Amino acid sequence: MLEPQIFNLKVHSDGRGSLSAVESNIDAPFEIKRVYYMYGIPGGQVRGAHAHKELEQLVIAVAGSFEIVLDDGQSVVTTVLDDPAKALYVPKMNWRTLQNFSKDAVCLVLASALYDESDYYRNYEEYKSALNA
Ligand code: TYD
């Protein structure tokens, strides 16, 4: 059974607000090579819907909320992300879909490699065949 791993980030709060940090190879279980973020996502839109051959990622709802559906080929688990102090680990070879974004959602992704289209499975059947190979 797939058990999504959530890392609880330290929250430094004082009268000025809150701050959380993610350090490469410390809070993230890999070297962070790339950061990207999605925002301004219209209601009902679905993002992701792909898997990666090698890429590992941490996903954080730095604002608002959304669901992330992870499928490792054996089971499918949906996690709600709505806390900027929680990071969901997305291992390689997990099909992942992001959905139900709130209007104000900002999805921050920390990734273990630079952007490389050849690392993607964008077709679910192709992904399943690779898992079973
Ligand atoms: P896409 O992979 O379609 O987003 P999603 O995660 O929702 O499937 O990416 C959208 C566009 O952004 C596409 O043209 C590729 C580009 N892109 C980059 O240039 N760099 C990146 O790091 C990422 C993740 C995407």
Side-chain angles (χ1 to χ4, degrees):
M1 176 74 183
L2 171 63
E3 283 192 28
Q5 255 186 291
I6 297 209
F7 297 102
N8 292 305
L9 305 173
K10 193 166 177 195
V11 182
H12 305 268
S13 289
D14 58 31
R16 300 168 298 160
S18 299
L19 183 154
S20 293
V22 183
E23 293 192 310
S24 192
N25 285 320
I26 298 173
D27 307 290
F30 51 80
E31 188 179 348
I32 299 167
K33 295 266 185 65
R34 175 167 53 111
V35 174
Y36 65 93
Y37 42 99
M38 291 174 271
Y39 50 94
I41 300 156
Q45 284 296 325
V46 171
R47 307 273 332 197
H50 58 244
H52 285 281
K53 296 172 187 171
E54 294 298 334
L55 192 73
E56 297 171 81
Q57 297 176 286
L58 277 182
V59 179
I60 303 171
V62 289
S65 65
F66 52 86
E67 293 175 350
I68 177 159
V69 184
L70 288 185
D71 174 356
D72 67 354
Q74 305 283 334
S75 51
V76 180
V77 179
T78 301
T79 304
V80 175
L81 287 180
D82 60 2
D83 181 347
K86 290 191 187 301
L88 178 79
Y89 177 58
V90 181
K92 65 180 178 180
M93 292 303 279
N94 272 227
W95 189 266
R96 61 131 165 112
T97 304
L98 299 147
Q99 62 190 28
N100 285 335
F101 290 89
S102 64
K103 244 189 173 154
D104 58 344
V106 180
C107 172
L108 176 70
V109 183
L110 312 175
S112 64
L114 301 182
Y115 178 72
D116 175 8
E117 189 57 38
S118 70
D119 187 62
Y120 281 74
Y121 287 111
R122 291 194 184 270
N123 176 290
Y124 189 75
E125 295 313 316
E126 199 191 322
Y127 158 70
K128 283 289 279 188
S129 309
L131 268 185
N132 297 329

